[in-house]
Amino acid sequence: MKALIVDDERNVRNVIRQLGDWDMSGITMLLEASNGYEALDIVRTENPDIIFTDIKMPRMTGLELIEELNELGYQGKVILITGYDDYTFMRKAIQLNSFDYLLKPIDADAFDAVLNRVVTAIGEEAEEDGEIVEEARRLRSNQIFTSACSGGGTDELAASLPVDEKLEMSLLSFYHTHLPEPHMEALRGELQEKGIGNVFAFLEEENLYAVLTVKGQWVYVEEWVSSHIDLPIRLVQGELPDLVELPSAFSKLQDELQQNHYRSIRSLDELESARRIQEIVSYVETYYMEDISLDRLSKMFFLTREHISRTFKKETGLPLSKFVAKLRIEQAKVWLTDSEETIYSIATMLGYQDEKYFSKLFKKMTGFTPYEFRSGNSGVTE
């Protein structure tokens, strides 16, 4: 912060300099002016946060200086220093919105008390201003999301989400008698700090929030919600491959809520199980070219074959064998398009020892043989 001392007597300015514990109060720059005109020039260039000004000065009094400051729209605090203890003066000072006043000769304790009060007041106002700005930012963010759900465009919305990530959308509905906003603000802060998503209030429906997260991060989010929010929640979820699909995806999830096709937040034990199946899916997505079977996964992750089979299909929508085949064929497409590897070599790298079996599987899943796909006869552009 900056402070300005205005007095036509140099010795008075020196006394004030000595009285103040400026560093402890957060004052990093202490300025001086010998009259009101000098003070106005300094205010225009330095914009001090606090001004200590004498009342009785030649050319421009302290009260006249405050009037000029008000004309400039000065937002700082002014403390008047005077030898007059007069009610008429006090009333005029109050009318001009001065923060406080000090009587000459200035008492050290009184000066410290006034300095502490004015610094505290500035800090509280800055905090309030920050809260107002943050509230306005949140409102604008929610307006952008609500508009995007109605087809109003998603460019502004994209700026508040992780870049170049596949997203999932979850709608959280709370009962009307509950007050979820503080909890959802805390969740928003958590997601933004970790860079994995954001939370938006849907302004056209009370207590309905959308949580957009990076794909694969929901178990962490749900663990946080389960640990921090002790309110009943109705939850529906879906993938959001592209933000342009937001209106249709949101409408679909909203319909599911209205038809009571929702679930509750899972317990921590259930979430631990979900996290383990996500780890299995992640492992398969990484090592799909190796020999992967239910038996192998069961031994690695200490879960039964039946449990893995059931939960894997629930998580991915496909049985393990078909999920692996899908990943391998997608990789085969890349190599057939971008490399000169032989079809036999590609089959071998993908874990197939039989080229004919690989070609048969490729045609079954794409409609074309590997040779046709490479030759461009398929018309596939992926």
Side-chain angles (χ1 to χ4, degrees), residues 174-377:
F174 297 83
Y175 293 100
H176 296 308
T177 54
H178 295 153
L179 299 173
E181 184 175 1
H183 301 294
M184 300 310 289
E185 288 305 317
L187 176 58
R188 176 185 282 119
E190 180 75 9
L191 298 186
Q192 290 182 334
E193 180 181 346
K194 291 188 173 297
I196 60 174
N198 208 336
V199 178
F200 305 93
F202 183 62
L203 299 179
E204 295 181 5
E205 189 171 331
E206 187 179 4
N207 287 356
L208 180 62
Y209 292 82
V211 183
L212 272 62
T213 51
V214 173
K215 186 176 180 181
Q217 292 294 325
W218 178 254
V219 171
Y220 167 78
V221 177
E222 195 168 350
E223 285 177 343
W224 189 95
V225 172
S226 182
S227 300
H228 293 80
I229 303 180
D230 189 21
L231 293 173
I233 300 173
R234 292 171 290 181
L235 168 68
V236 291
Q237 293 177 295
E239 292 190 1
L240 187 61
D242 195 305
L243 270 184
V244 297
E245 299 177 28
L246 177 66
S248 59
F250 180 83
S251 179
K252 179 181 178 182
L253 294 181
Q254 199 175 29
D255 288 343
E256 290 183 15
L257 270 178
Q258 292 170 354
Q259 294 168 17
N260 294 325
H261 296 160
Y262 59 82
R263 69 170 176 85
S264 300
I265 296 294
R266 292 171 287 187
S267 68
L268 291 178
D269 287 343
E270 292 172 324
L271 288 167
E272 176 59 25
S273 177
R275 180 178 290 282
R276 292 182 71 184
I277 198 63
Q278 276 199 345
E279 290 174 354
I280 293 174
V281 173
S282 178
Y283 177 86
V284 172
E285 288 176 334
T286 303
Y287 298 103
Y288 62 89
M289 286 184 280
E290 297 182 6
D291 180 22
I292 292 180
S293 66
L294 288 173
D295 284 333
R296 180 178 179 183
L297 295 176
S298 176
K299 293 175 182 177
M300 290 183 63
F301 292 94
F302 304 102
L303 295 169
T304 66
R305 295 175 73 263
E306 292 73 18
H307 178 77
I308 294 175
S309 177
R310 182 176 64 256
T311 54
F312 191 95
K313 184 175 181 180
K314 185 177 180 181
E315 179 72 18
T316 65
L318 291 172
L320 175 63
S321 59
K322 290 187 177 180
F323 187 81
V324 170
K326 180 176 180 292
L327 293 175
R328 289 179 173 181
I329 295 305
E330 289 302 317
Q331 181 59 57
K333 289 181 182 179
V334 174
W335 283 337
L336 287 168
T337 303
D338 299 336
S339 78
E340 296 182 358
E341 294 285 349
T342 65
I343 295 173
Y344 172 76
S345 177
I346 290 174
T348 302
M349 288 190 293
L350 290 172
Y352 299 113
Q353 301 305 316
D354 188 336
E355 179 184 345
K356 290 183 178 179
Y357 175 78
F358 164 67
S359 297
K360 183 177 179 180
L361 179 63
F362 190 94
K363 183 171 184 179
K364 180 180 178 181
M365 296 185 67
T366 67
F368 306 95
T369 66
Y371 176 79
E372 290 170 339
F373 184 89
R374 170 169 275 175
S375 299
N377 294 331

Side-chain angles (χ1 to χ4, degrees), residues 93-112:
I94 292 171
Q95 289 173 346
L96 292 173
N97 295 320
S98 64
F99 178 80
D100 209 334
Y101 76 101
L102 290 163
L103 290 174
K104 291 181 178 180
I106 302 172
D107 177 76
D109 291 338
F111 186 88
D112 282 342

